[in-house]
Amino acid sequence: MEWLNEILNEISKCSQTKDLELLRLKVFGKKGLLTNEFSNLKNISDDSKKQVAKELNDIKQKIESILTTKKSELEEFELNQKIESQKIDVSLFNSSLSPMYGHPINIIFDKIIDYFVGMDFSLKYGPLVEDDFHSFEALNLPKFHPARDMQDTFYFNDSMLLRPHTSPVQIRTMEEGKLPIRIISPGAVFRRDYDMTHSPMFHQVEALVVDKDKEVNFANLKYILEDFLTYMFGDIKIRFRSSFFPFTEPSAEVDISCVFCKGAGCRVCSNTGWLEVLGCGVVDNNVFKAVGLKDVSGYAFGLGVERFAMLSYGVNDLRSFFETDLRLLEQF
Ligand code: PHE
């Protein structure tokens, strides 16, 4: 059968399933090469007929099995080619979307970080899943302090929790024991809260400055916060109100004159003319004791990024930052 080797050769060289189908028809079709051989059987003498028929059947099976293998090879190859050519890159810029700068929380984060990096602070990150020691104990929050309440903090078990503030990063940094310390720590924090001004996950930026004894004092803290808040909110009045945090002594809460009514009194500032924006203080000696630092002084402050974003953009429901509603996000 002169055609046999030729067709096998063609099959092995074939590179497309549709060409393979043509080859199949060339052999097995109505007027196909092998079909013809079978029809010719009737012209063969009876004594060799059986032998020839057997040979033809063997050839038939051989070609069929070669075709099946080749077909699955080609199908796989073509599928891979298709997948390759139709790959969708979801990160590709799509010019039909309206141009956006970014998420308001990120914009405020960047603005805050820019300021402090310019003031020679370095960035420090810490784990979101924290232990009791770094979140409370070392921060002078003894057992049974109300802030440890299950109602405020998400616990995994007795000792592990989702950090309710960025202050554990203070402790981790001081534990390294290198002075001076001049860090800010931005990141997510978690509390069991949900209403217009609270969400179970939100973001804080914590700052910590520590140096040799008497090098760092409240005046340094006051100076940098006044400069920073003016940078963030422009022409505002600032006041320090004495307050309490277990990890700072003395402590203060800082208010700015209401950015909406300029201090005249409105709904947002509950007619006080003032808005509370952050907590701060001189690091309590018990905190230094907990991390084994002696003869040092320091200040710390912490702020809520969502609160800053709400005040900067006049957004009145904090939850809308997390709803990924394009009608809100497109405005940034
Ligand atoms: N950790 C405090 C909070 O989450 C903020 C704070 C940080 C206050 C540092 C004082 C000093 O509310």
Side-chain angles (χ1 to χ4, degrees), residues 164-167 170 191 204 206-207 245 247-248 251-252 278-281 300-303:
H165 51 182
T166 35
S167 305
Q170 283 191 31
R191 286 186 204 171
Q204 286 190 334
E206 178 105 2
F245 296 104
F247 28 90
T248 47
S251 308
L278 55 82
C280 65
F301 58 87
L303 62 88

Side-chain angles (χ1 to χ4, degrees), residues 127-136 143 148-150 153-164 168 172 190 192:
L128 305 186
V129 176
E130 261 295 359
D131 56 31
D132 182 272
F133 177 77
H134 292 90
S135 311
F136 296 128
K143 294 246 165 0
R148 289 180 164 214
D149 200 320
M150 297 284 286
T153 305
F154 292 103
Y155 282 90
F156 293 103
N157 53 41
D158 279 353
S159 58
M160 298 305 287
L161 44 96
L162 285 174
R163 67 177 188 188
R172 291 187 178 277
F190 306 84
R192 298 177 62 141

